[in-house]
Amino acid sequence: MTDEELIAELADLPASRLMTLLNTALSDRAKKKVYANGDTQYDDVICVATCTFGSNDGIVDECAIVEVCAQPTNDAVVLDDFSEQGRCEVCSTLLIANAKKAVCPICGTVNHLT
């Protein structure tokens, strides 16, 4: 499959399916280190995010909100849209998801979003 074919195939996917595929592929790249004193360090993490503009003209300004797409847990009810939001309980990353119960792609914590 060529890059162009892959891009065309991905572009045709519903947003929730695309997010699931990308988060799954990208999460396998994240490397977590836990030290003897309990500190945790992550290598650079690539993740999927959404940006909500602070104005109606579509121009990014200081009011833009960037939220990282969290992966629904296996037992979560998956919604049609990304309407659930919150802040990760452990790493404080702003999250958005298509389920009330989702995993932060930065630190792997299960969060309950609203």
Side-chain angles (χ1 to χ4, degrees):
M1 175 180 287
T2 67
D3 287 352
E4 291 79 16
E5 292 170 332
L6 178 58
I7 291 167
E9 196 166 319
L10 291 172
D12 287 339
L13 292 174
S16 61
R17 179 74 177 129
L18 178 60
M19 188 271 305
T20 298
L21 290 173
L22 291 175
N23 269 350
T24 301
L26 295 173
S27 68
D28 290 343
R29 295 176 178 229
K31 303 289 186 245
K32 178 179 177 180
K33 298 174 188 168
V34 179
Y35 297 96
N37 66 358
D39 288 349
T40 303
Q41 176 184 349
Y42 295 90
D43 289 341
D44 292 342
V45 176
I46 301 170
C47 55
V48 180
T50 63
C51 181
T52 303
F53 299 106
S55 62
N56 293 330
D57 56 11
I59 298 172
V60 177
D61 59 18
E62 66 273 1
C63 295
I65 299 170
V66 177
E67 296 167 303
V68 175
C69 294
Q71 183 71 24
T73 61
N74 292 336
D75 61 342
V77 175
V78 177
L79 308 170
D80 291 332
D81 62 350
F82 292 87
S83 58
E84 304 303 318
Q85 299 168 303
R87 188 175 292 275
C88 178
E89 298 169 7
V90 172
C91 70
S92 298
T93 299
L94 288 176
L95 302 173
I96 192 166
N98 57 340
K100 288 192 176 292
K101 190 174 173 186
V103 179
C104 175
I106 305 300
C107 69
T109 301
V110 174
N111 288 272
H112 297 277
L113 308 176
T114 57

